[in-house]
């Protein structure tokens, strides 16, 4: 965790506020992506398990919860989905939740988490390229508006993640790792180093705007080509196995959160 730039704070204090069994919690955001700043918040993401009683009555349960707190001057937030909602998001070819599930920065785990991780490779599809393409477009527009390093790094990260996934069938969300690949512009490491000083620092004149625009357009073209050539399937596998896991976890109740 410290190697990823996480501050020395008690993450368990925030997890303890989750009132239902917590099936897993991982670190997401800039720490997972490899470009945290000194003042970056700590983003925790995970899955909780609603009791059966919350699902069979007339009241609609809150399937997503957000807990926020400050510890030793560090802002932290924990966002969790109920297991069934999280699995539905996985089956919608949502790269964001797959990155949370497969984050190597694990704060809390259970056997249910381990089963989900084991099933994750079967969920990758060629259509995950749409997720990364769309996310890149949103972040690039934000960069054009603000000129900040953060949305620029997000743009580069998601495009490189999408290209790598299409080409290899493996999900890598860590930008410094991706920066060592053949598709990454040579200045990525320099941008990461610049962002370390401030979460909302400006790009300034680190890279000429025309070069940035040309490189982002080239990465979009590589993602298109990688999607066209990918060996990944059109549809996710493992739906029945995921269904069985949700049923077993729900019927076992609090036992799975141990």
């Amino acid at each position: 965790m410290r190697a990823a730039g996480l501050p020395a704070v008690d993450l368990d204090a925030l997890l303890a506020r989750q009132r239902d069994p917590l099936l897993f919690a991982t670190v997401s955001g800039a720490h997972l992506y490899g470009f945290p700043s000194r003042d970056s918040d700590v983003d925790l993401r995970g899955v909780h398990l609603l009791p059966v009683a919350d699902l069979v009555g007339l009241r609609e349960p809150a399937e997503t919860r957000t807990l926020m707190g400050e510890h030793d001057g560090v802002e932290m937030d924990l966002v969790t989905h109920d297991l069934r909602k999280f699995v539905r998001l996985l089956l919608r070819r949502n790269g964001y939740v797959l990155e949370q599930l497969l984050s190597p920065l694990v704060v809390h785990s259970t056997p249910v988490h381990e089963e989900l991780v084991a099933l994750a490779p079967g969920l990758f599809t060629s259509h995950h390229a749409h997720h990364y393409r769309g996310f890149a477009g949103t972040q690039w527009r934000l960069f054009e508006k603000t000129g900040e390093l953060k949305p620029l790094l997000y743009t580069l990260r998601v495009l490189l993640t999408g290209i790598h996934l299409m080409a290899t069938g493996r999900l890598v969300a860590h930008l410094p790792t991706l920066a060592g690949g053949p598709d990454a512009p040579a200045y990525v490491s320099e941008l990461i180093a610049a962002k370390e000083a401030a979460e909302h620092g400006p790009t300034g004149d680190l890279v000429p705007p025309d070069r940035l625009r040309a490189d982002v357009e080239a990465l979009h073209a590589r993602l298109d080509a990688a999607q066209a050539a990918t060996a990944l399937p059109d549809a996710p596998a493992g739906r029945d196995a995921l269904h069985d896991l949700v049923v077993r976890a729900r019927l076992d109740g609090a036992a799975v959160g141990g």
Side-chain angles (χ1 to χ4, degrees), residues 209-234:
D210 290 347
R211 182 178 178 188
L212 283 175
R213 187 172 296 104
D215 286 344
V216 168
E217 290 175 356
L219 288 174
H220 272 283
R222 290 178 198 173
L223 179 56
D224 293 345
Q227 182 182 14
T230 189
L232 290 174
D234 287 336

Side-chain angles (χ1 to χ4, degrees), residues 96-117:
Y96 186 51
V97 293
L98 274 167
E99 291 168 4
Q100 295 168 12
L101 173 61
L102 296 175
S103 170
L105 305 176
V106 179
V107 180
H108 177 77
S109 184
T110 65
V112 174
H113 177 221
E114 294 171 2
E115 285 195 53
L116 286 170
V117 169

Side-chain angles (χ1 to χ4, degrees), residues 2 26 60 70 88 120 141 144 170 190 199 211:
R2 296 303 299 275
T26 61
E60 290 294 329
E70 181 178 321
R88 285 175 171 166
R141 288 189 292 274
E144 289 187 312
R170 293 183 291 112
E190 183 180 358
E199 179 72 3
R211 182 178 178 188

Side-chain angles (χ1 to χ4, degrees), residues 30-229:
H31 293 95
L32 170 61
Y33 306 142
F35 47 81
S37 305
R38 298 191 187 103
D39 54 348
S40 288
D41 298 346
V42 176
D43 299 320
L44 302 176
R45 299 293 181 266
V47 168
H48 63 267
L49 187 70
L50 289 171
V52 173
D54 282 14
L55 300 171
V56 298
L58 298 179
R59 301 186 185 95
E60 290 294 329
E63 292 186 294
T64 299
R65 294 177 182 156
T66 300
L67 297 173
M68 304 184 71
E70 181 178 321
H71 297 270
D72 298 326
V74 178
E75 291 288 339
M76 300 191 296
D77 66 87
L78 169 65
V79 179
T80 62
H81 301 297
D82 175 62
L83 177 62
R84 182 174 62 175
K85 178 176 180 178
F86 186 79
V87 168
R88 285 175 171 166
L89 291 172
L90 289 175
L91 290 169
R92 290 175 188 166
R93 306 152 184 172
N94 186 317
Y96 186 51
V97 293
L98 274 167
E99 291 168 4
Q100 295 168 12
L101 173 61
L102 296 175
S103 170
L105 305 176
V106 179
V107 180
H108 177 77
S109 184
T110 65
V112 174
H113 177 221
E114 294 171 2
E115 285 195 53
L116 286 170
V117 169
L119 291 168
L123 303 176
F124 301 147
T125 73
S126 61
H127 297 287
H128 279 90
H130 299 307
H131 166 85
Y132 290 108
R133 187 180 294 112
F135 193 9
T138 299
Q139 290 299 309
W140 178 253
R141 288 189 292 274
L142 181 59
F143 167 69
E144 289 187 312
K145 180 179 179 180
T146 66
E148 291 183 358
L149 280 163
K150 183 175 180 178
L152 174 59
L153 285 170
Y154 268 93
T155 301
L156 297 170
R157 198 283 295 178
V158 295
L159 287 170
L160 290 168
T161 293
I163 292 167
H164 190 271
L165 177 60
M166 293 299 107
T168 69
R170 293 183 291 112
L171 186 62
V172 177
H174 190 250
L175 184 57
T177 299
L178 294 164
D183 295 305
Y187 50 75
V188 170
S189 296
E190 183 180 358
L191 296 180
I192 292 172
K195 184 182 176 292
E196 183 180 357
E199 179 72 3
H200 298 286
T203 303
D205 58 358
L206 288 172
V207 185
D210 290 347
R211 182 178 178 188
L212 283 175
R213 187 172 296 104
D215 286 344
V216 168
E217 290 175 356
L219 288 174
H220 272 283
R222 290 178 198 173
L223 179 56
D224 293 345
Q227 182 182 14

